[in-house]
Amino acid sequence: MDHSTPWTDDNLMSLQSHVLAGERAHPGATGDFSWILSAISLATKTIGNKVRRARIEDVLGELAAENTHGERQQKLDVIANDVIKSCLGSRANIGVLVSEEEEEPTVLRTRDAGGRYAVLFDPLDGSSNIDVSVGVGTIFSVMRLPDEGKGGVDAVLSPNATIVASGYVLYGSSTVFMLTTGDGVDMFVLDHSIGSYVLAKRSVNMPHTRAIYSINEAYSKRFPKGVTSYLDWAHTEGYSSRYIGSMVADVHRTLLKGGIFIYPATSDRPQGKLRLLYEAQPMAMLVEQAGGRAVTETGQRILDLDPTDLHERTSVILGSTGEVDQFLRHVQTDHHQ
Ligand code: AHG
Ligand code: MN
Ligand code: MN
């Protein structure tokens, strides 16, 4: 029986009902996914509230501690991480929680004990911008763990683990939840007056081209030659530059308006800066699902990379297909010279 209701612009649809409707449309669905997503939704509402009240509650600024990447943690990084763990920790179908902020993953239960999924997250992306009220966000992906084996970290790194959903929440001038479960990208906006994410746009589609690049150009002396020659070309073509410095905010603009986001490898960071599992792959899935492209500098599809380390880094080039193709043309030409 088809339970789906025809969509019209007048229907009010919460994130929760949207996910439930998706599950009902798939015979045999277990409801696992809505169970996980409701915890993510609760966590991000709580984090968004903390972010907005940070100055009032005096939780801005750095901690003395560094995170697992040798970066200074903000107080809010730790708060956001704790909120996610407390919201997701009790969901019986989650085996492992993996956070950018923690060296070791939290193993909640083995595969035999029902831990069928891993949730990977960057609790607060762009956190060094928080003192100046710039948009920050939470990035996550949900991975289905292989049936064989014990679960745990090995399962997360297994080539048989598959990302079944990705998303982010941008705590900006409005709070936006972008979600893909592999069937396009849907956009929800938090209606603070009712405390619910409501569907704002189905099937977000990126423009095929847009003359905007987003890169930290101050590092240009440390860029590979191909990146510099791409930028020279973009300057002569009259491109515009937009760089916020919070990946969530930069990718959100790129998803809606088109353009290209580039965080290349640099001479001082030959692997790149962004983290494959918490930042690059979830964003790559969203971008591809919105009709765009997400690759490394060598043109390899980010979603095809198999991590060998949870905290692995990668170069990231993502955005409108036409723009990413143009970038790769320069990088590859440079390669063959
Ligand atoms: P995080 O706050 O989670 O450590 O991530 C910061 C990342 C990302 O949000 C952004 O794209 C990038 O760092 C900016 O780096 P630069 O300051 O080197 O441009
Ligand atoms: Mn981040
Ligand atoms: Mn972070």
Side-chain angles (χ1 to χ4, degrees):
M1 190 166 46
D2 180 11
H3 293 283
S4 56
T5 319
W7 166 258
T8 75
D9 284 345
D10 298 332
N11 286 116
L12 185 63
M13 173 80 91
S14 70
L15 171 66
Q16 195 71 19
S17 359
H18 178 79
V19 174
L20 284 170
E23 281 181 343
R24 294 185 70 171
H26 288 99
T30 55
D32 272 354
F33 189 62
S34 60
W35 187 232
I36 295 174
L37 215 72
S38 68
I40 296 176
S41 161
L42 178 64
T44 58
K45 285 179 204 170
T46 310
I47 296 169
N49 190 47
K50 295 275 179 206
V51 165
R52 298 201 192 292
R53 293 185 48 82
R55 195 165 287 279
I56 299 164
E57 290 182 8
D58 198 20
V59 287
L60 288 173
E62 292 178 344
L63 288 171
E66 289 182 344
N67 69 8
T68 173
H69 310 281
E71 294 155 350
R72 262 301 158 81
Q73 278 180 309
Q74 303 285 315
K75 292 178 193 164
L76 272 170
D77 282 325
V78 175
I79 293 172
N81 191 50
D82 289 347
V83 167
I84 294 185
K85 284 172 74 179
S86 72
C87 291
L88 288 163
S90 57
R91 305 288 149 141
N93 49 1
I94 303 179
V96 196
L97 293 177
V98 192
S99 165
E100 179 202 82
E101 296 299 334
E102 295 191 33
E103 178 71 43
E104 297 297 333
T106 306
V107 178
L108 295 170
R109 51 191 69 74
T110 60
R111 184 67 192 74
D112 287 348
R116 305 208 309 138
Y117 296 90
V119 181
L120 300 94
F121 52 94
D122 176 354
L124 204 55
D125 173 70
S127 55
S128 63
N129 287 322
I130 209 153
D131 294 17
V132 288
S133 300
V134 167
V136 292
T138 299
I139 310 172
F140 68 89
S141 62
V142 181
M143 210 177 244
R144 190 182 300 118
L145 299 174
D147 286 334
E148 69 283 359
K150 282 204 176 111
V153 192
D154 293 346
V156 175
L157 294 176
S158 152
N160 294 330
T162 39
I163 303 179
V164 290
S166 292
Y168 62 77
V169 175
L170 169 62
Y171 313 109
S173 52
S174 60
T175 303
V176 185
F177 196 136
M178 301 291 272
L179 174 69
T180 180
T181 55
D183 185 23
V185 177
D186 299 314
M187 176 162 82
F188 302 82
V189 176
L190 182 60
D191 183 337
H192 286 270
S193 60
I194 58 170
S196 278
Y197 287 107
V198 293
L199 185 59
K201 191 169 171 48
R202 268 189 183 204
S203 301
V204 172
N205 255 312
M206 301 183 66
H208 182 69
T209 57
R210 181 82 192 247
I212 301 175
Y213 66 76
S214 186
I215 187 170
N216 192 336
E217 217 162 347
Y219 303 155
S220 58
K221 292 271 183 294
R222 287 172 261 154
F223 289 160
K225 253 180 74 198
V227 177
T228 318
S229 76
Y230 166 77
L231 289 170
D232 286 345
W233 171 84
H235 295 159
T236 59
E237 292 292 313
Y239 272 55
S240 220
S241 158
R242 291 282 182 278
Y243 191 72
I244 296 165
S246 291
M247 187 191 198
V248 166
D250 282 314
V251 171
H252 190 61
R253 181 198 55 251
T254 308
L255 267 172
L256 297 188
K257 294 196 168 175
I260 185 167
F261 170 86
I262 306 162
Y263 206 113
T266 52
S267 52
D268 55 334
R269 285 183 190 271
Q271 310 303 322
K273 175 182 182 187
L274 298 174
R275 282 127 299 201
L276 177 62
L277 283 172
Y278 318 113
E279 293 168 322
Q281 285 195 329
M283 292 308 200
M285 183 173 179
L286 286 159
V287 164
E288 286 194 1
Q289 286 292 321
R293 208 174 158 193
V295 295
T296 66
E297 260 164 77
T298 55
Q300 207 182 354
R301 196 173 159 244
I302 287 175
L303 285 174
D304 285 341
L305 299 174
D306 278 326
T308 51
D309 183 282
L310 289 176
H311 299 294
E312 197 166 311
R313 297 173 191 267
T314 178
S315 58
V316 174
I317 293 94
L318 58 80
S320 300
T321 308
E323 303 301 332
V324 174
D325 290 349
Q326 214 32 281
F327 174 88
L328 288 176
R329 198 168 59 77
H330 284 86
V331 174
Q332 278 152 11
T333 310
D334 178 64
H335 228 71
H336 297 300
Q337 272 168 7

